[in-house]
Amino acid sequence: MRRWWMLALGVNAHASVTLGLYGLPLVMPEILRHFGVSLPVGGLIGNAPAIGILSALVAWGALADRHGERLVLGLGVGLAAVTLAGAAFATSTWAVIALLAAAGAGGSAAMVGGGRIVLRWFRPPERGVAMGVRQVSYTLGMAVAAFVLPPVAAAHGLTGVLLLCSGLALLAAVLAGLFLAEPPHATPESRPAAAGSPYRQPALWRVHATSALHAVPQIVVTTYGVDCLVTSYGWDGVAAGRLFGVAAIAGAAVRIAAGRWSDRTGLRMRPLLLITLWNLVVLALLVAGSFTGAAFGVAMLALASVMTVAGNGLAYLAAGELAGPGWAGRVLGTHNTVQNTVALAATPLLGLLIEGSGSWAGFAAGLGCALISLPVIPLRAERS
């Protein structure tokens, strides 16, 4: 049972810091009002933590490989709490972007540390479910953000939103620093091995590339989905946030189910391929619905927010297992760096595309990237 307690601490740290790192697009109307900026600039502000995330993930991974998860999570998430509080009182747009980027750099420690907990504390037949639970930390954080942040923004503005995110991150950092521990005994699965670089394997590069392509439909749905509901369908911002909150809860269940499916088959990539095929159907219907303004577009948007993140845990776990225990932190850091680099580059470009042509065009770009990913998924390199 202790391994599940360790996983719970990692989940709590990641979920808590997720509100400040990924939840800000849910209050996009308030960001636009607060700063008086265009949608592409608002998208940059909402996703500014990604700037810091992509710059720090590999460094946190290397530190975790040397010193363990306790130091990394306590220090990194604590830094995120401090910088989120600073952003709450900054008045300049660029100062807020810089502070949010610093929050992303610190909070990214939770992404690497949580993944290493699964690889070091759990045996392979349990890892799919454990990684699904670990990945729920993101959806759990986004669910809380969807239900809580829009009402807080309506009542207390962006300052209240950032202070709430800071307080939750600080509590999570204290809990991780006090209670996280090392595995009780070294096993072949938890003991770092002296081995050459895992990047000699083409499969690892292809796993990274797959996740990079899948990041585009994820970012367009999560960043501009609320704005689509408000501007295209006339929804209230709070109601739109709640819809995404319900979708995030459903996404948590789907991630765990995908992990269980993966454990039963002993495969990671084949389930990911089938999930991607389902995503193509959902995204195609979303493009059609948003282009025509049909009511089913709302249902497809909610379903896309569930399905586009369903395979994240499988790719993340595959990358960690290909890395081996001695390289897990660095490889998982690189994996998330690739995803966040794509997200950072895609966010303003998608915003410009949506402003020029409509929401359907952004969703179509996500559909195209999901389609391109099909031949990239490394099926042949995998054995059950």
Side-chain angles (χ1 to χ4, degrees), residues 47-65:
N47 287 278
I51 300 171
I53 290 170
L54 66 90
S55 68
L57 277 166
V58 177
W60 284 123
L63 189 63
D65 285 337

Side-chain angles (χ1 to χ4, degrees), residues 65-373:
D65 285 337
R66 290 178 63 87
H67 299 290
E69 294 82 14
R70 182 177 182 177
L71 173 66
V72 165
L73 288 180
L75 181 61
V77 178
L79 175 62
V82 172
T83 48
L84 284 169
F89 298 103
T91 56
S92 165
T93 300
W94 294 108
V96 169
I97 289 174
L99 287 166
L100 290 176
S108 64
M111 304 175 192
V112 175
R116 286 185 87 254
I117 289 171
V118 172
L119 292 169
R120 299 182 68 216
W121 282 83
F122 291 84
R123 294 284 185 174
E126 298 178 313
R127 284 181 185 163
V129 171
M131 190 62 81
V133 171
R134 184 265 174 200
Q135 290 287 329
V136 163
S137 57
Y138 172 82
T139 49
L140 177 62
M142 289 301 291
V144 173
F147 282 112
V148 173
L149 296 189
V152 171
H156 303 288
L158 190 61
T159 299
V161 168
L162 292 170
L163 287 176
L164 175 63
C165 294
S166 172
L168 292 174
L170 180 60
L171 177 60
V174 170
L175 291 175
L178 288 177
F179 297 112
L180 269 175
E182 291 293 302
H185 57 277
T187 69
E189 294 297 329
S190 65
R191 189 168 50 239
S197 171
Y199 284 102
R200 297 171 181 172
Q201 308 169 79
L204 183 52
W205 291 100
R206 292 176 65 180
V207 171
H208 289 335
T210 298
S211 286
L213 290 166
H214 287 179
V216 176
Q218 292 171 34
I219 201 67
V220 71
V221 169
T222 58
T223 300
Y224 298 112
V226 169
D227 184 73
C228 174
L229 290 175
V230 172
T231 58
S232 300
Y233 289 94
W235 280 49
D236 173 75
V238 173
R242 287 174 179 166
L243 175 66
F244 274 81
V246 172
I249 294 172
V254 169
R255 287 186 185 219
I256 295 174
R260 177 59 178 159
W261 176 20
S262 173
D263 283 342
R264 293 191 67 178
T265 61
L267 300 170
R268 313 300 184 197
M269 293 294 98
R270 188 164 297 279
L272 180 61
L273 173 65
L274 295 177
I275 290 171
T276 305
L277 292 172
W278 277 108
N279 279 334
L280 292 175
V281 176
V282 173
L283 290 167
L285 291 173
L286 174 58
V287 171
S290 58
F291 180 75
T292 60
F296 72 84
V298 174
M300 290 302 102
L301 182 57
L303 187 57
S305 72
V306 174
M307 291 304 300
T308 55
V309 298
N312 276 1
L314 300 180
Y316 192 70
L317 177 56
E321 289 181 332
L322 287 168
W327 275 76
R330 283 162 285 182
V331 168
L332 294 179
T334 300
H335 188 82
N336 274 326
T337 298
V338 170
Q339 282 186 304
N340 282 279
T341 300
V342 173
L344 181 63
T347 296
L349 295 176
L350 290 167
L352 289 170
L353 182 61
I354 290 170
E355 272 201 333
S357 303
S359 297
W360 71 271
F363 300 141
L367 171 63
C369 289
L371 183 63
I372 294 170
S373 76

